[in-house]
Amino acid sequence: MILPLGFNQFGQSTKALLGQIRALAAIRDVMRRRIDLDAQYIAGLEALAEEYMNLESNEVMDGLLKPVLTQLKEEIQCRISANHDIRTLVENLPDITKPEQDTSTGLTDLMNTKKNYQDVMEAEDVAKSSRSSLEAWYARDSEYNRRLDISRRLPDEDRRYRKSVVAQQTNAEKARLWLSTYPSAINQHQEHIEGWWSLLKRASITNSNLVSSLSCHISNCVNQLEAFSPLPAIASVTEAYEEDTGSQISKATV
């Protein structure tokens, strides 16, 4: 059996295209899951801030916890804005589900055609090697079968060859149809690559700006914490303690 030149490489272009489309699909999935995870994280931060925001005011509350909670609220707002911007970018890109499905189907048709072609070549070799027995079969008098209106069963070698030819012709038509649409699929794929490339750059810039904003808010929090002194807080509770110990209420009654 002699296979045509380029037989082993047949379908590689579609296989490569499908690999790149699936890479884009992976990027899409990573971005979507990251957005959802960030949204869950933001919701957790909001619940945390809300839980401690209304504690009674005192020196430690105002000097230590309040700067931390203020920074937390600012972080929440920054993350909400960034998450919204990136989600909008992802949602506005064309869906690549159908191109992935179409290319996968196209690759299947090409691989089936390739296998069917090889089956035809193998069946043809078998038929050629059994040529003498096939010729004898066709030369046989079939009057008896005609009288009984019974079609003769074709030899296995001939049936295998005919069956493989039909299958190859069917799948070859599907393969030709896919290959005729391949140029437009490439153009669409290029648009998708450029779209996701642009999105990832813009998303990275958004995340960079988020980090810069968080750094600024954290610096403000650090400055407020640096301005805090433990002495007034200790003095206030010490003064209250002295008032308690000097109070008539704490003394035993006679």
Side-chain angles (χ1 to χ4, degrees):
M1 179 179 62
I2 301 177
L3 296 174
L5 185 66
F7 177 83
N8 292 331
Q9 290 73 38
F10 184 74
Q12 289 303 305
S13 60
T14 300
K15 183 177 181 180
L17 175 61
L18 181 59
Q20 291 188 14
I21 293 176
R22 285 175 173 169
L24 290 180
I27 294 172
R28 173 201 61 198
D29 294 342
V30 168
M31 295 298 293
R32 287 177 176 175
R33 292 180 64 182
R34 171 66 187 274
I35 290 169
D36 291 340
L37 289 172
D38 284 345
Q40 295 174 24
Y41 179 64
I42 292 170
L45 293 181
E46 289 177 320
L48 177 64
E50 183 66 25
E51 181 178 354
Y52 292 97
M53 190 60 67
N54 297 319
L55 291 181
E56 183 179 353
S57 177
N58 56 54
E59 290 80 4
V60 174
M61 171 67 180
D62 296 339
L64 292 181
L65 183 56
K66 187 175 180 180
V68 173
L69 292 177
T70 298
Q71 183 273 318
L72 181 57
K73 290 180 66 177
E74 293 168 340
E75 176 180 347
I76 290 171
Q77 294 306 312
C78 290
R79 290 188 180 277
I80 289 176
S81 177
N83 186 266
H84 174 269
D85 291 346
I86 295 176
R87 185 185 295 275
T88 300
L89 290 174
V90 173
E91 290 178 347
N92 285 338
L93 278 181
D95 188 18
I96 57 177
T97 302
K98 189 176 187 305
E100 182 178 5
Q101 294 173 343
D102 291 345
T103 306
S104 179
T105 300
L107 180 61
T108 299
D109 291 339
L110 293 179
M111 292 300 99
N112 286 340
T113 301
K114 182 177 179 179
K115 180 181 182 303
N116 292 147
Y117 186 91
Q118 187 170 7
D119 290 343
V120 170
M121 295 296 98
E122 292 175 351
E124 185 178 29
D125 287 347
V126 172
K128 287 180 178 179
S129 66
S130 306
R131 181 173 181 176
S132 59
S133 60
L134 289 175
E135 289 176 347
W137 184 89
Y138 281 110
R140 230 169 32 207
D141 181 16
S142 59
E143 179 63 28
Y144 175 76
N145 289 325
R146 286 198 296 271
R147 286 200 306 268
L148 295 180
D149 195 24
I150 299 176
S151 297
R152 291 180 299 173
R153 179 182 173 87
L154 292 172
D156 289 342
E157 299 87 345
D158 200 2
R159 284 191 302 109
R160 177 186 174 186
Y161 174 73
R162 291 170 183 264
K163 185 178 180 180
S164 63
V165 168
V166 171
Q168 198 275 334
Q169 290 175 343
T170 300
N171 283 306
E173 179 60 30
K174 294 180 180 179
R176 285 193 295 271
L177 179 61
W178 160 248
L179 291 175
S180 69
T181 65
Y182 189 86
S184 62
I186 284 291
N187 292 334
Q188 185 182 53
H189 179 56
Q190 181 177 350
E191 293 176 0
H192 289 162
I193 289 180
E194 292 173 349
W196 281 99
W197 176 39
S198 176
L199 178 144
L200 291 176
K201 290 190 295 183
R202 293 171 67 182
S204 296
I205 292 173
T206 298
N207 285 327
S208 177
N209 293 336
L210 170 63
V211 172
S212 297
S213 297
L214 293 180
S215 177
C216 180
H217 294 313
I218 292 173
S219 296
N220 292 336
C221 178
V222 170
N223 292 334
Q224 294 179 55
L225 293 175
E226 289 288 351
F228 174 79
S229 173
L231 294 179
I234 297 299
S236 67
V237 295
T238 300
E239 181 179 345
Y241 167 75
E242 292 174 349
E243 290 177 356
D244 287 343
T245 56
S247 174
Q248 185 69 30
I249 297 176
S250 65
K251 297 178 181 179
T253 57
V254 180

